[in-house]
Amino acid sequence: MRRGRAFRDNPDDLGELDESRVDVLIVGGMASGSTQMEMADAYSEAAVELIDSAMASGDQWRLVYPILYLCRHALELYLKSIIQHAEPQHNLEPLVKQVENVLREQLGESLPINLRADLLTLASIDPDGQCFRYPTNRKGDMIMLPGEYWVSLTDLQQLMEVMGSGIKKAYDRLGLPY
């Protein structure tokens, strides 16, 4: 049975707000304004926790699309954080190429081969960021992934951790402001 509304205005008297409660939080207003990196980290952490939960439950298949969506979105945000002024698009392939250019031109480095391969595979599976979010496209046609893929959830967790730490190292070396 529901106790009340999930979304409410803040209490008039913030003294009513018990900060020890872990079941409520404030979003919007002064609680807005995450950076691209912070948001990428949040999606990445949520994906890693959901992977742990899925593996513990034994029902990984039920959570695979939300997991893949969270991972894909985090990876997109990580890539865009390096590019800084990325064009508004969701296709990972051009973002990967732009990040490779930044790394090569400014740091004389490249993406690790396995990381690049995973990013480009994800880009080919879900080029517009819709496949893991919706069962149908705007026309109502069923969205079918272009092939079948073996997804190691353990390796996916490691991909998220490597991507997050690697992007932060590159970010620091590039002197980009957080």
Side-chain angles (χ1 to χ4, degrees):
M1 183 166 107
R2 278 187 70 183
R3 292 181 24 193
R5 293 185 51 210
F7 295 91
R8 297 179 252 179
D9 291 333
N10 291 331
D12 290 332
D13 177 12
L14 287 181
E16 296 175 38
L17 184 64
D18 177 1
E19 291 185 18
S20 67
R21 286 181 65 182
V22 295
D23 66 319
V24 296
L25 55 116
I26 296 172
V27 296
M30 295 296 287
S32 298
S34 294
T35 66
Q36 195 132 286
M37 184 71 75
E38 289 168 335
M39 193 165 280
D41 284 342
Y43 275 93
S44 180
E45 290 170 26
V48 168
E49 287 190 30
L50 193 54
I51 289 170
D52 284 338
S53 177
M55 289 191 300
S57 75
D59 285 336
Q60 304 90 314
W61 63 270
R62 282 186 330 99
L63 299 174
V64 71
Y65 274 40
I67 288 167
L68 291 172
Y69 172 74
L70 291 170
C71 290
R72 190 201 182 287
H73 193 58
L75 293 168
E76 178 182 334
L77 292 173
Y78 280 135
L79 293 169
K80 286 180 175 179
S81 72
I82 290 293
I83 300 166
Q84 292 288 293
H85 301 291
E87 295 199 19
Q89 65 169 326
H90 299 289
N91 190 336
L92 295 179
E93 186 174 355
L95 296 174
V96 168
K97 290 178 180 177
Q98 290 174 46
V99 165
E100 287 180 312
N101 288 339
V102 168
L103 294 177
R104 184 178 52 256
E105 292 169 8
Q106 296 184 32
L107 300 178
E109 295 184 7
S110 59
L111 287 172
I113 293 168
N114 286 342
L115 176 60
R116 182 180 193 281
D118 281 339
L119 290 170
L120 292 177
T121 298
L122 193 53
S124 70
I125 293 171
D126 188 9
D128 62 357
Q130 305 299 308
C131 291
F132 304 127
R133 294 175 61 193
Y134 303 107
T136 59
N137 62 24
R138 291 181 180 169
K139 296 177 186 174
D141 300 325
M142 185 172 199
I143 296 175
M144 299 292 290
L145 298 183
E148 293 180 353
Y149 304 88
W150 177 272
V151 179
S152 164
L153 294 179
T154 303
D155 289 336
L156 188 58
Q157 275 185 317
Q158 290 174 356
L159 167 69
M160 299 312 296
E161 291 164 5
V162 165
M163 185 71 176
S165 66
I167 287 291
K168 288 181 187 103
K169 287 175 188 171
Y171 214 75
D172 289 340
R173 291 187 57 215
L174 290 165
L176 298 172
Y178 281 89

